[in-house]
Amino acid sequence: MPMPMPMPIGKTGGRFARVARCVTSHGCARAPVRLTLAAVAVAVLVGCGPSEAQLIASAKVMLDRRDVDGAIIQLKNALDKNPHSGEARLLMGHALLRAGDPAKAQIELLKARGTGVRDEQWLPVLARAMLAAGAGDKLIEQYGDKTLSQPAATADLKVALAGAYVARGHTDEARSELVRAVLAVPDHAAALVLRARLDAVAGNPTDALRQLDELLAREPGHVEALLLKGQVLLHATKEPEAALVTLRQVRHAHPESVAAHTALVSILMQQNKREQARAEFKQLLKVAPRHPDTLFYQAQFALEDKDYQSSREITQRLLLAMPDNVRVLVLAGAAEYFMQHYALADRLLARALKLAPGLLFARQMLAQTLMREGLADSALEVLQPVIDKPQADASSLGLAGEAYLQSGNPARAEAAFQRALNATPEAAGERASLAMAWPARGEATATTGELEAIAGRVRSTHADWALVSARLRLRDIKGALAAIDTLEKKLPDEPFVPTLRGRLLSAQGEQPGAAANFAHALLRQPNYFPAVDGLASIDLKAGRPELARQRLTAALKAEPGNFRAKMALAELDTQLGAPDAVIVTHLREAIRLDYSRQQPHLALIERLLFGGDHAGALVAAQDAATVLPNDAVLMDALGRAQIATGASQQAVYTFRKLAAWQPGSTLFLLRLADAHTAARDSAAAANALRQVLKLEPGNVMALRGQALLAVQDQRPQVGIAIAREIQQRKPNDAVGFALEGELESKRRNWDAAARAYGAALQRGDSGDLATRLHRCLREAGQDTEAERMSADWRKANPKDSVFLYYLGDTAALTKDWSAAEAHYRAVLALQPRHAAALNNVAWLLATQRRPGAVSLAEQANALLPDRAPLLDTLALALEADNQLLKAVDTQRRAVAIDPKDSMLRLHLARLLIKQGNKSDARGVLDALGRLGGTFAGHVEVAALLKDM
């Protein structure tokens, strides 16, 4: 429209004057102003624009005409004029829901409620928005019991609730809600459509079609009914062409219907008519370019075209609006998976599966992602609900087989692949069931022969995988490698195949070939962590720890959320004998990368328990239980940490809870017995052990527990009888004889204990048993026999550092300093970073005023920092080396760490006296003197005080 010609300033008539009067009459200008064309334009737009009521009316017309975008613009303008307009907020909620933005729709509808709009107006719309956003559980929780006064509103709300129950998989509750909807409005179309959908899913497509036809007879153009009819014709009655005809009728009658377009795209894709699907998508793109369904298919086609970045960007935008939409989560997870961002894919797919546990594709893709991360055990947990079913599908069973192989269980892998082969349609008639049955008859050779024949006839890889697993189960490595070679021809891009070959070669000592295969796997999948881990292990074995570290660090850099890489670094430093603090830091960082993972939590707890930091282990276990409250393994670790810290009653509660969770688990009942024993409740412990034996008669651990309780209750003969009962049941097993030795040791019956441990050692080649036997022989006064036994054991087991360390302790107790030092140094020759051995040699050198004590003590403290006994040794070494100032500072640190250890304080007092600091020394000695005879060093304390 051309701009009006300017009027001469000062003239009063014409169009300009009328506009000026209009501005004044609307109160937009209280005093005469010098008007320009720009000012007039602004005045017209601001002062003379449509009113709030006009904007709302305009939006209603646009919604009727299906111009949703235009309606939203008008409603935004109305809300700019009056943010408290309940009518505008309500309409905006409607419009945003129709535009496919349920998250923002919910916000507007809740604001409408705040302006006083009646429940009957906003709540049914909010319910539909919550359902569309995937918040069905929240809808049921917040509004499941809500009653409304208007029948139509009641029916709408009940239909939405029914939809939420359907999403949960609770069809009975859904049908109950639909009954209430129909009672409120007998011909409620949405209720009838959803009821027909439930009938179709339940296997009654004829009834579903009848109901839809009856509805369409009353309402011929009902879009949802026609769409459902098309879906039923496609999926239930297997009439894809009829389905396409029906849906095209909808699309023709309602060209603006996003649902009709998307249904057509979906069906054409399912029929693998990709070009037609894309052509239909172009029509959808014209109709609703910004609609979430349009964006979804745009992301899906981008994924098909391997434009993963675009697919990722689109799905991320969609998730901002609908964070709990399952199909968007799955598509987003797929994009991350193909971009090799496995940690991100894992989280997205896990969220999708939590929201829709019955979604098989999400479950399978999550399992595959977990295996790419090297988390085979987690993948099996995900697959378990599916593969436990008698009619499990071939794909899930095949994935389970790969996971079992990855976790080193070829027998279970073989069984899973055999079942997958049976479930594969193309293998029908291939006698797969016979092949599956043969292992039970012990005809393993026949099994592998049959599998070889099937593998050569079918395209499926299940027989090939089963053959690999069978060869591994039979320890036929050469045959397994040959089967892997054949399998690789069918799976030229699969990284697990060369990784498995690499593992086998590495186990055979063929490290160059193993490394080459791991490297080949990484060419196929650069971030494939099992292959990275395999190369790092080879580097470590070859004495190249820094190269191993570089590989793991690079994997972490490539995928910052890879907690497995952090755990592998912790394991690497454990192998290298790094300080506990370093390893614990790695594990805490692994937890930070992914709090939802059991593995790093458990590894941290176990490490802290192993290192003696029981209080730290308890805190870590409590944190883990907060994040993963239903994880039985972590709860078990919590209970063990509670026992270790003396919180026995809390441990009882924890293990009772676990036993209730898994009533058939003997493990948790045994743990409960341990907790009762720690709490000094023998009767309760005995009851728990009886429950174990009721579930599993002959359970050795339960019998052992009963025997120990009998000795504790001064009934030693009962305990010995139990041990001998175990011996009779398992005459070739060491356990019964070891138990008898333990019981006799508690009675200080050393000769009998030695005989029992000797019998146990004959049946079980164990360093712990050797240590126990040697101690009993010495206690029994059989020194010559003990020396002979020690020499024989060391000759047969020259690398048994545990036994050597025990011999060092034994020599030190008898003050045979040279023998003790020799044994400890032998330990260090095997394990140069053995902190306790370093500490003990340092102590021996310091007490004998020999050189080298400080260096060894410092190494021990670097490996195990902030340990009071090690600091005490370092202080002694510094004193012997005439570094008195450092010695005092070090001893003060030791006392600060363990202030209750009176011997540490006595050592500090000696050092202070030697330093000439009698004032501080007297303060320490006075405190020790108040302990009186309860302190073993009270005589020395009195003497030192007397001399001051």
Side-chain angles (χ1 to χ4, degrees):
M1 178 177 175
M3 291 293 288
M5 291 296 292
M7 295 288 290
I9 296 176
K11 276 205 171 184
T12 56
R15 180 170 47 185
F16 188 96
R18 285 196 296 274
V19 171
R21 284 196 297 274
C22 174
V23 172
T24 304
S25 67
H26 278 78
C28 298
R30 297 294 182 183
V33 294
R34 186 179 178 84
L35 293 177
T36 65
L37 284 174
V40 172
V42 171
V44 171
L45 289 173
V46 177
C48 299
S51 66
E52 174 194 340
Q54 290 171 325
L55 289 166
I56 291 174
S58 174
K60 290 179 179 178
V61 172
M62 289 178 175
L63 285 173
D64 289 339
R65 293 175 179 172
R66 299 183 177 87
D67 181 5
V68 177
D69 290 343
I72 290 173
I73 292 171
Q74 295 295 77
L75 291 168
K76 283 182 178 178
N77 290 333
L79 289 168
D80 284 342
K81 290 180 176 291
N82 181 11
H84 303 292
S85 171
E87 186 179 11
R89 293 286 180 197
L90 182 63
L91 281 172
M92 181 66 89
H94 276 279
L96 288 167
L97 181 57
R98 287 176 60 176
D101 194 342
K104 289 182 180 177
Q106 291 178 66
I107 294 171
E108 293 299 329
L109 291 164
L110 290 172
K111 287 180 179 179
R113 177 186 65 176
T115 64
V117 175
R118 290 180 294 111
D119 290 352
E120 284 75 13
Q121 292 178 286
W122 64 266
L123 181 51
V125 191
L126 177 70
R128 293 202 302 274
M130 293 176 75
L131 190 61
D137 287 348
K138 190 175 180 181
L139 170 61
I140 293 169
E141 179 184 346
Q142 292 186 345
Y143 303 111
D145 297 329
K146 184 72 174 178
T147 57
L148 298 175
S149 60
Q150 293 180 355
T154 298
D156 286 346
L157 176 59
K158 294 302 178 184
V159 170
L161 287 167
Y165 280 118
V166 169
R168 274 187 176 182
H170 299 172
T171 54
D172 290 341
E173 289 87 342
R175 288 186 181 276
S176 296
E177 294 294 343
L178 290 177
V179 167
R180 296 184 184 99
V182 174
L183 285 173
V185 179
D187 293 329
H188 195 280
L192 298 175
V193 169
L194 184 52
R195 188 172 67 185
R197 184 184 297 278
L198 288 175
D199 287 341
V201 171
N204 299 314
T206 303
D207 286 349
L209 289 172
R210 176 184 54 76
Q211 293 174 70
L212 292 171
D213 287 338
E214 289 174 358
L215 174 58
L216 289 168
R218 293 194 302 272
E219 300 183 39
H222 195 284
V223 176
E224 286 75 16
L226 286 167
L227 290 172
L228 179 57
K229 182 176 180 179
Q231 292 172 3
V232 173
L233 290 170
L234 174 69
H235 298 291
T237 64
K238 308 300 181 186
E239 300 176 65
E241 295 307 318
L244 286 171
V245 168
T246 300
L247 292 171
R248 282 176 177 141
Q249 287 175 350
V250 181
R251 195 265 317 273
H252 180 74
H254 303 279
E256 80 294 337
S257 171
V258 173
H261 285 286
T262 54
L264 281 167
V265 173
S266 177
I267 289 176
L268 291 167
M269 288 180 70
Q270 290 172 44
Q271 293 181 300
N272 206 28
K273 296 178 180 178
R274 287 308 200 242
E275 293 306 315
Q276 292 185 43
R278 286 176 183 260
E280 191 65 46
F281 172 70
K282 288 180 181 178
Q283 297 300 314
L284 173 62
L285 200 57
K286 293 177 182 177
V287 171
R290 293 187 296 277
H291 194 280
D293 285 344
T294 308
L295 294 173
F296 175 83
Y297 281 108
Q298 188 176 356
Q300 188 162 335
F301 285 125
L303 194 71
E304 282 190 6
D305 296 337
K306 298 185 178 180
D307 184 0
Y308 305 131
Q309 183 62 38
S310 294
S311 182
R312 181 194 196 197
E313 290 172 359
I314 296 168
T315 51
Q316 285 179 339
R317 283 165 52 200
L318 287 170
L319 286 173
L320 288 174
M322 46 185 79
D324 294 326
N325 186 288
V326 173
R327 66 174 189 161
V328 178
L329 284 166
V330 172
L331 187 57
E336 299 293 355
Y337 175 88
F338 288 114
M339 293 180 77
Q340 300 176 30
H341 299 160
Y342 299 123
L344 290 173
D346 176 348
R347 291 168 194 167
L348 290 162
L349 293 167
R351 276 175 58 197
L353 193 60
K354 184 177 181 180
L355 292 165
L359 192 57
L360 183 60
F361 176 75
R363 189 174 294 277
Q364 291 171 342
M365 191 156 193
L366 176 56
Q368 196 161 328
T369 302
L370 289 165
M371 284 191 281
R372 284 289 188 273
E373 294 180 273
L375 299 170
D377 291 341
S378 296
L380 286 168
E381 287 179 18
V382 169
L383 292 168
Q384 212 68 51
V386 177
I387 63 175
D388 282 348
K389 295 178 180 178
Q391 301 301 321
D393 67 287
S395 296
S396 297
L397 289 165
L399 286 169
E402 288 186 48
Y404 281 125
L405 267 184
Q406 196 177 108
S407 61
N409 193 335
R412 299 197 72 173
E414 181 188 1
F417 285 127
Q418 293 268 22
R419 288 179 63 199
L421 184 60
N422 278 345
T424 304
E426 65 171 318
E430 291 288 351
R431 297 173 63 217
S433 58
L434 181 59
M436 185 176 172
W438 272 334
R441 302 205 302 265
E443 301 176 31
T445 305
T447 303
T448 56
E450 181 71 9
L451 288 170
E452 284 175 345
I454 296 172
R457 288 195 292 265
V458 300
R459 295 172 59 192
S460 165
T461 59
H462 298 315
D464 300 87
W465 280 117
L467 179 60
V468 171
S469 306
R471 296 291 188 194
L472 289 174
R473 178 176 56 80
L474 296 169
R475 302 182 187 279
D476 178 7
I477 303 301
K478 184 177 179 181
L481 289 170
I484 289 171
D485 291 341
T486 303
L487 175 63
E488 193 159 26
K489 294 174 184 177
K490 292 185 178 181
L491 297 172
D493 300 321
E494 171 56 51
F496 180 51
V497 178
T499 300
L500 180 59
R501 187 191 289 114
R503 287 180 178 177
L504 296 181
L505 292 172
S506 180
Q508 296 295 105
E510 299 179 32
Q511 304 306 336
N517 274 279
F518 291 139
H520 188 53
L522 290 174
L523 287 176
R524 296 179 175 184
Q525 197 84 52
N527 289 347
Y528 188 54
F529 189 74
V532 175
D533 200 30
L535 284 171
S537 296
I538 290 175
D539 291 332
L540 186 59
K541 289 176 185 175
R544 302 188 298 266
E546 288 313 308
L547 183 55
R549 189 182 305 281
Q550 288 172 19
R551 291 188 194 279
L552 296 172
T553 304
L556 190 60
K557 185 177 180 181
E559 193 175 3
N562 188 345
F563 77 93
R564 283 281 286 110
K566 263 295 174 189
M567 291 188 69
L569 284 167
E571 179 60 28
L572 174 64
D573 279 326
T574 300
Q575 296 285 335
L576 295 174
D580 271 11
V582 172
I583 297 161
V584 166
T585 297
H586 282 316
L587 294 174
R588 291 194 191 281
E589 289 176 356
I591 292 170
R592 181 181 55 78
L593 290 175
D594 194 340
Y595 278 91
S596 67
R597 293 291 177 205
Q598 175 205 86
Q599 294 90 335
H601 285 290
L602 184 62
L604 176 62
I605 298 164
E606 298 289 6
R607 184 69 203 184
L608 292 168
L609 284 173
F610 176 79
D613 186 0
H614 298 155
L618 180 59
V619 172
Q622 289 168 336
D623 289 344
T626 301
V627 177
L628 297 167
N630 299 319
D631 191 303
V633 174
L634 292 177
M635 286 288 286
D636 174 63
L638 172 62
R640 288 185 285 117
Q642 287 166 335
I643 290 176
T645 54
S648 306
Q649 289 299 334
Q650 292 178 22
V652 167
Y653 172 79
T654 298
F655 289 121
R656 273 182 180 161
K657 187 175 181 180
L658 282 169
W661 279 0
Q662 298 184 21
S665 171
T666 57
L667 171 63
F668 297 137
L669 287 170
L670 288 168
R671 299 273 204 238
L672 179 59
D674 289 343
H676 281 306
T677 302
R680 302 182 184 279
D681 190 343
S682 298
N687 181 55
L689 293 172
R690 283 194 295 272
Q691 291 181 59
V692 174
L693 291 169
K694 186 176 180 181
L695 289 168
E696 190 180 320
N699 183 290
V700 172
M701 294 305 297
L703 290 170
R704 177 180 180 277
Q706 287 186 330
L708 292 172
L709 280 177
V711 172
Q712 181 178 304
D713 293 342
Q714 305 300 315
R715 295 180 295 124
Q717 292 307 319
V718 174
I720 299 295
I722 292 172
R724 289 179 179 166
E725 179 187 345
I726 297 173
Q727 293 169 17
Q728 289 176 358
R729 290 184 181 183
K730 298 186 174 185
N732 298 320
D733 198 316
V735 63
F737 298 94
L739 176 57
E740 184 177 353
E742 183 180 2
L743 298 175
E744 294 290 11
S745 295
K746 289 180 179 297
R747 300 172 67 196
R748 306 185 69 80
N749 192 349
W750 301 115
D751 286 320
R755 285 193 297 272
Y757 278 131
L761 193 61
Q762 291 174 4
R763 292 163 173 80
D765 199 10
S766 160
D768 178 62
L769 288 174
T771 300
R772 289 169 182 257
L773 173 57
H774 187 270
R775 177 171 178 267
C776 288
L777 289 170
R778 285 180 55 81
E779 293 287 354
Q782 301 181 41
D783 292 344
T784 303
E785 181 61 21
E787 286 301 317
R788 185 195 62 76
M789 178 260 153
S790 173
D792 290 346
W793 181 260
R794 281 184 290 166
K795 184 177 179 180
N797 303 275
K799 294 186 177 181
D800 186 350
S801 60
V802 174
F803 189 74
L804 286 169
Y805 188 86
Y806 155 76
L807 290 177
D809 284 351
T810 302
L813 286 171
T814 60
K815 298 187 178 181
D816 186 348
W817 306 129
S818 61
E821 183 180 345
H823 290 312
Y824 290 137
R825 287 193 181 276
V827 172
L828 291 173
L830 295 171
Q831 297 182 25
R833 293 173 173 266
H834 195 297
L838 286 166
N839 176 78
N840 292 355
V841 175
W843 185 87
L844 289 169
L845 294 176
T847 54
Q848 298 172 68
R849 299 283 173 170
R850 291 164 55 198
V854 173
S855 174
L856 292 172
E858 286 176 341
Q859 290 180 56
N861 276 274
L863 289 168
L864 294 175
D866 300 325
R867 304 295 172 92
L870 272 64
L871 286 167
D872 184 49
T873 300
L874 177 57
L876 182 67
L878 290 165
E879 178 189 5
D881 199 44
N882 295 317
Q883 300 184 51
L884 198 56
L885 183 61
K886 286 186 177 180
V888 170
D889 289 343
T890 301
Q891 194 65 21
R892 286 189 188 276
R893 284 172 55 202
V895 170
I897 290 170
D898 191 358
K900 293 182 179 180
D901 189 325
S902 300
M903 292 306 298
L904 292 177
R905 290 192 284 163
L906 179 56
H907 186 193
L908 175 60
R910 292 196 208 103
L911 289 171
L912 289 167
I913 291 170
K914 193 170 184 179
Q915 189 187 34
N917 188 349
K918 292 187 177 182
S919 175
D920 285 357
R922 180 175 292 280
V924 174
L925 291 171
D926 284 342
L928 289 173
R930 287 193 288 273
L931 297 175
T934 60
F935 173 42
H938 69 280
V939 174
E940 183 181 356
V941 170
L944 289 172
L945 283 170
K946 185 177 180 181
D947 292 341
M948 288 182 69

